[in-house]
Amino acid sequence: QVHLVESGGGLVQAGGSLRLSCAASERTFSSYTVGWFRQAPGKEREFLSVISRSGGITYYADSVKGRFTISRDNAKNTVYLQMNSLKPEDTAIYYCAARPGAFIIATTRYEYDYWGQGTQVTVSS
């Protein structure tokens, strides 16, 4: 099955930027719609963004629209999340997730089959 590994998290000051990567071990990764979620301690897992198989369609949650950009490089089996203008409330563990097939606006964790282990993002004030 597909294994996903997130990287790129760390500590950043408010207003700063980070670029997260989601690397897949599957050579047919281009067949998957991929989303990003985050989860802060004591809170529900929150949908952030989703991207179509070719990268041609993207969708964002209101909380990150205009600040975060999702993209993918299928030749590298990797999906990215560029995060700009970070705020302390962005502090969370960030996860990527994948589902087979064409793009849908999949905004709940139940719509994804595969998950990475997460990468910690901490934004200081």
Side-chain angles (χ1 to χ4, degrees), residues 37-102:
F37 291 75
R38 67 187 179 191
Q39 189 164 23
K43 296 185 179 180
E44 296 181 343
R45 191 163 299 188
E46 177 189 10
F47 168 79
L48 300 175
S49 185
V50 59
I51 189 168
S52 63
R53 294 177 295 182
S54 67
I57 309 172
T58 59
Y59 177 82
Y60 298 90
D62 288 341
S63 60
V64 303
K65 194 175 301 179
R67 298 191 298 126
F68 291 10
T69 302
I70 190 170
S71 62
R72 68 192 300 166
D73 184 348
N74 287 334
K76 298 291 185 182
N77 291 334
T78 302
V79 170
Y80 304 97
L81 186 68
Q82 177 67 46
M83 307 187 297
N84 299 326
S85 301
L86 285 163
K87 307 172 182 179
E89 51 262 46
D90 294 320
T91 296
I93 300 175
Y94 283 68
Y95 300 89
C96 64
R99 57 173 283 129

